[in-house]
Amino acid sequence: MYEVIDEIFSKKMLDMLNMHKLKTLSISVKNFPDESHGSILSLANNSVKLKFKKELVEHNLKKYIDDFTKFSVSSESNFYVFTGDDLERLGLLLYPYLSFGILNGGSATSYFDILKNNDFNEELYSLYADKILEARRLFGHLPKGITPAYVNRDGSYGFSFLALKMRHLLMLSNRYCELYGKSIKPSIFQMTSFKTYKPISNFLDNIFDDNLIKDLNSCGLQRADILTAIQPLVYCYNKLDDGQYEYFSYCTNGKRSFLALPAGHGQNFKVLRDIYFKLYNSGKKFVYIGNVDNIGFTVNLQTLAIMAITNSSSGFEFSVKTPLDTKGGVLVLDDDNHLTCVDIGSVISKEAVLKAECRGSRILFNCATGLFNLEYLIENMDRIISDMPIRIIEQDKEFGRYTAIEQITWEVMRIVDNPLIFEVNREDRFLPAKLFVDTLIMSNYMNDKFSGNISDIARYLNYALNNALKNKYDLVFRQGKWDV
């Protein structure tokens, strides 16, 4: 059994709203950090070379391996020098200490929403309308994570986001076994919602018979190995004329009901708390978390190695902002010189970002992945849960105006100590699909009908998608489609 509504948290938020004591996000942006900042490590080119103090490396790696020098081929004075290949090999050795977390609570309602897809680009919508309507009919009732992650050139639908993630993790298990002669199961956990839990559970009951998974599952990964926590809903609120709040209700089928919604992925620290402790007690040292709908979100072995070398609290991936990155978070320094991630539009204006770009500022955009030192996370869990910023979101829908509560995962950067920032290539690590029109563009679907700069954008994204399907997921392109 699980709790559908978080009654306690809902009441706490209501009381704090009425006492005007709700701790909302308040950030004063000082500037954008440049590449010389000591906490920003660049992994964005093919000639990665990072130096770490010998004392630091020796102290931190001895808990994992006896002879770490075989993973670093050179040294300079008091530093060991690691190339990208060195880090990759070290990261694979550390793979058994990692658990991979998938934020999997979203439904496909917005993904296939007609108005939202149309608002994105009316010309594209008119081109894609039939395909969007077809996909909505076939998959609109499903959780987003188990809908197709791409569309093949022949118009057929590709494998799902979740299935691809599982295949990638099994590939790493096989690589580890081939190199070290030991079979290990991937460690996987997820946060679902009460709307997505049952269909995702049914999907997992059947996916192990699919060749996509079965062909690589020599380690015997089973449905029961995937740990799941279900995010409860939080009531929404109605602001009264006197400034006080009450629970928001609306009329449906002649009855009044309270509106309750998920309160954002930032609640994962609270919802997944027991799983984090279970993983720690089982010997895991690191946890990844990221969104299921980002095809680029896979295990970055280089960042895993760096986390072990430095024993840092956490690491977050960012890439140089492109014209595609209009909604999401950017890396800034606040007035206390702390690195933090702020959303364009809600915390920092689009105009401020544009002015900085015109001045030549190099802006880093959030790739929405977090890699955490699990021991640090466990020791600071209650503080993180308590201090996570809360956003008050005002909404105006057909059934009325209401106030919702939301917590954003990546705002934990302000709470953790000395987070690392990994600068990565967008096309390798950040391929999100917020709307189905995004997926169609990335799939380069009906590209012969494109006009203007959409054609260039589609080619760029499709090149990245094809690389991911080939190299991250070991798929083969034949007869107009990607397959095993």
Side-chain angles (χ1 to χ4, degrees), residues 54-65:
K54 287 183 176 180
E55 182 181 3
L56 177 79
V57 175
E58 292 166 2
H59 179 266
N60 289 332
L61 288 188
K62 65 183 179 183
K63 68 182 82 169
Y64 306 109
I65 47 179

PDB file of all heavy atoms in Angstrom, residues 54-65:
ATOM      1  N   LYS A  54      48.316  13.991  -5.376  1.00  0.00           N
ATOM      2  CA  LYS A  54      48.593  12.584  -5.092  1.00  0.00           C
ATOM      3  C   LYS A  54      48.019  12.153  -3.748  1.00  0.00           C
ATOM      4  O   LYS A  54      47.452  11.066  -3.615  1.00  0.00           O
ATOM      5  CB  LYS A  54      50.105  12.338  -5.119  1.00  0.00           C
ATOM      6  CG  LYS A  54      50.704  12.364  -6.516  1.00  0.00           C
ATOM      7  CD  LYS A  54      52.191  12.029  -6.482  1.00  0.00           C
ATOM      8  CE  LYS A  54      52.757  11.953  -7.896  1.00  0.00           C
ATOM      9  NZ  LYS A  54      54.206  11.636  -7.904  1.00  0.00           N
ATOM     10  N   GLU A  55      48.159  13.010  -2.757  1.00  0.00           N
ATOM     11  CA  GLU A  55      47.661  12.673  -1.420  1.00  0.00           C
ATOM     12  C   GLU A  55      46.151  12.450  -1.441  1.00  0.00           C
ATOM     13  O   GLU A  55      45.637  11.518  -0.816  1.00  0.00           O
ATOM     14  CB  GLU A  55      48.016  13.801  -0.446  1.00  0.00           C
ATOM     15  CG  GLU A  55      47.597  13.532   0.990  1.00  0.00           C
ATOM     16  CD  GLU A  55      47.954  14.683   1.922  1.00  0.00           C
ATOM     17  OE1 GLU A  55      48.473  15.712   1.433  1.00  0.00           O
ATOM     18  OE2 GLU A  55      47.704  14.548   3.131  1.00  0.00           O
ATOM     19  N   LEU A  56      45.438  13.295  -2.190  1.00  0.00           N
ATOM     20  CA  LEU A  56      43.981  13.176  -2.309  1.00  0.00           C
ATOM     21  C   LEU A  56      43.606  11.861  -2.990  1.00  0.00           C
ATOM     22  O   LEU A  56      42.739  11.119  -2.509  1.00  0.00           O
ATOM     23  CB  LEU A  56      43.434  14.357  -3.115  1.00  0.00           C
ATOM     24  CG  LEU A  56      41.931  14.364  -3.393  1.00  0.00           C
ATOM     25  CD1 LEU A  56      41.173  14.847  -2.159  1.00  0.00           C
ATOM     26  CD2 LEU A  56      41.603  15.269  -4.588  1.00  0.00           C
ATOM     27  N   VAL A  57      44.269  11.563  -4.099  1.00  0.00           N
ATOM     28  CA  VAL A  57      43.967  10.349  -4.860  1.00  0.00           C
ATOM     29  C   VAL A  57      44.235   9.106  -4.024  1.00  0.00           C
ATOM     30  O   VAL A  57      43.400   8.192  -3.941  1.00  0.00           O
ATOM     31  CB  VAL A  57      44.793  10.313  -6.162  1.00  0.00           C
ATOM     32  CG1 VAL A  57      44.573   8.996  -6.898  1.00  0.00           C
ATOM     33  CG2 VAL A  57      44.436  11.490  -7.061  1.00  0.00           C
ATOM     34  N   GLU A  58      45.400   9.065  -3.394  1.00  0.00           N
ATOM     35  CA  GLU A  58      45.786   7.889  -2.616  1.00  0.00           C
ATOM     36  C   GLU A  58      44.835   7.654  -1.446  1.00  0.00           C
ATOM     37  O   GLU A  58      44.445   6.516  -1.160  1.00  0.00           O
ATOM     38  CB  GLU A  58      47.223   8.053  -2.118  1.00  0.00           C
ATOM     39  CG  GLU A  58      48.249   8.014  -3.247  1.00  0.00           C
ATOM     40  CD  GLU A  58      49.624   8.507  -2.818  1.00  0.00           C
ATOM     41  OE1 GLU A  58      49.781   8.836  -1.619  1.00  0.00           O
ATOM     42  OE2 GLU A  58      50.525   8.580  -3.669  1.00  0.00           O
ATOM     43  N   HIS A  59      44.435   8.726  -0.794  1.00  0.00           N
ATOM     44  CA  HIS A  59      43.552   8.601   0.368  1.00  0.00           C
ATOM     45  C   HIS A  59      42.148   8.143  -0.034  1.00  0.00           C
ATOM     46  O   HIS A  59      41.548   7.276   0.622  1.00  0.00           O
ATOM     47  CB  HIS A  59      43.469   9.939   1.108  1.00  0.00           C
ATOM     48  CG  HIS A  59      42.563   9.908   2.304  1.00  0.00           C
ATOM     49  ND1 HIS A  59      41.226  10.280   2.238  1.00  0.00           N
ATOM     50  CD2 HIS A  59      42.784   9.520   3.583  1.00  0.00           C
ATOM     51  CE1 HIS A  59      40.675  10.138   3.425  1.00  0.00           C
ATOM     52  NE2 HIS A  59      41.597   9.682   4.267  1.00  0.00           N
ATOM     53  N   ASN A  60      41.629   8.705  -1.119  1.00  0.00           N
ATOM     54  CA  ASN A  60      40.233   8.439  -1.477  1.00  0.00           C
ATOM     55  C   ASN A  60      40.030   7.147  -2.263  1.00  0.00           C
ATOM     56  O   ASN A  60      38.971   6.520  -2.154  1.00  0.00           O
ATOM     57  CB  ASN A  60      39.662   9.617  -2.271  1.00  0.00           C
ATOM     58  CG  ASN A  60      39.449  10.842  -1.402  1.00  0.00           C
ATOM     59  OD1 ASN A  60      39.226  10.726  -0.200  1.00  0.00           O
ATOM     60  ND2 ASN A  60      39.518  12.021  -2.004  1.00  0.00           N
ATOM     61  N   LEU A  61      41.025   6.732  -3.042  1.00  0.00           N
ATOM     62  CA  LEU A  61      40.833   5.534  -3.864  1.00  0.00           C
ATOM     63  C   LEU A  61      41.188   4.240  -3.152  1.00  0.00           C
ATOM     64  O   LEU A  61      40.814   3.155  -3.615  1.00  0.00           O
ATOM     65  CB  LEU A  61      41.643   5.639  -5.160  1.00  0.00           C
ATOM     66  CG  LEU A  61      41.129   6.632  -6.212  1.00  0.00           C
ATOM     67  CD1 LEU A  61      41.916   6.476  -7.506  1.00  0.00           C
ATOM     68  CD2 LEU A  61      39.638   6.448  -6.484  1.00  0.00           C
ATOM     69  N   LYS A  62      41.881   4.329  -2.023  1.00  0.00           N
ATOM     70  CA  LYS A  62      42.305   3.093  -1.360  1.00  0.00           C
ATOM     71  C   LYS A  62      41.122   2.275  -0.846  1.00  0.00           C
ATOM     72  O   LYS A  62      41.246   1.066  -0.634  1.00  0.00           O
ATOM     73  CB  LYS A  62      43.264   3.408  -0.212  1.00  0.00           C
ATOM     74  CG  LYS A  62      42.660   4.200   0.940  1.00  0.00           C
ATOM     75  CD  LYS A  62      43.720   4.532   1.987  1.00  0.00           C
ATOM     76  CE  LYS A  62      43.138   5.345   3.138  1.00  0.00           C
ATOM     77  NZ  LYS A  62      44.189   5.730   4.119  1.00  0.00           N
ATOM     78  N   LYS A  63      39.968   2.912  -0.668  1.00  0.00           N
ATOM     79  CA  LYS A  63      38.787   2.166  -0.205  1.00  0.00           C
ATOM     80  C   LYS A  63      38.170   1.324  -1.320  1.00  0.00           C
ATOM     81  O   LYS A  63      37.331   0.462  -1.063  1.00  0.00           O
ATOM     82  CB  LYS A  63      37.746   3.128   0.363  1.00  0.00           C
ATOM     83  CG  LYS A  63      37.085   4.036  -0.639  1.00  0.00           C
ATOM     84  CD  LYS A  63      36.092   5.003   0.013  1.00  0.00           C
ATOM     85  CE  LYS A  63      36.802   6.197   0.594  1.00  0.00           C
ATOM     86  NZ  LYS A  63      35.866   7.272   0.999  1.00  0.00           N
ATOM     87  N   TYR A  64      38.596   1.585  -2.579  1.00  0.00           N
ATOM     88  CA  TYR A  64      38.028   0.860  -3.716  1.00  0.00           C
ATOM     89  C   TYR A  64      39.019  -0.097  -4.372  1.00  0.00           C
ATOM     90  O   TYR A  64      38.640  -1.175  -4.821  1.00  0.00           O
ATOM     91  CB  TYR A  64      37.530   1.848  -4.779  1.00  0.00           C
ATOM     92  CG  TYR A  64      36.568   2.883  -4.255  1.00  0.00           C
ATOM     93  CD1 TYR A  64      36.955   4.214  -4.124  1.00  0.00           C
ATOM     94  CD2 TYR A  64      35.273   2.533  -3.884  1.00  0.00           C
ATOM     95  CE1 TYR A  64      36.075   5.169  -3.645  1.00  0.00           C
ATOM     96  CE2 TYR A  64      34.387   3.481  -3.399  1.00  0.00           C
ATOM     97  CZ  TYR A  64      34.800   4.802  -3.276  1.00  0.00           C
ATOM     98  OH  TYR A  64      33.929   5.744  -2.797  1.00  0.00           O
ATOM     99  N   ILE A  65      40.283   0.299  -4.465  1.00  0.00           N
ATOM    100  CA  ILE A  65      41.267  -0.512  -5.189  1.00  0.00           C
ATOM    101  C   ILE A  65      42.614  -0.466  -4.479  1.00  0.00           C
ATOM    102  O   ILE A  65      42.951   0.511  -3.805  1.00  0.00           O
ATOM    103  CB  ILE A  65      41.446  -0.022  -6.650  1.00  0.00           C
ATOM    104  CG1 ILE A  65      41.604   1.505  -6.693  1.00  0.00           C
ATOM    105  CG2 ILE A  65      40.325  -0.464  -7.527  1.00  0.00           C
ATOM    106  CD1 ILE A  65      41.809   2.049  -8.081  1.00  0.00           C
TER     107      ILE A  65
END
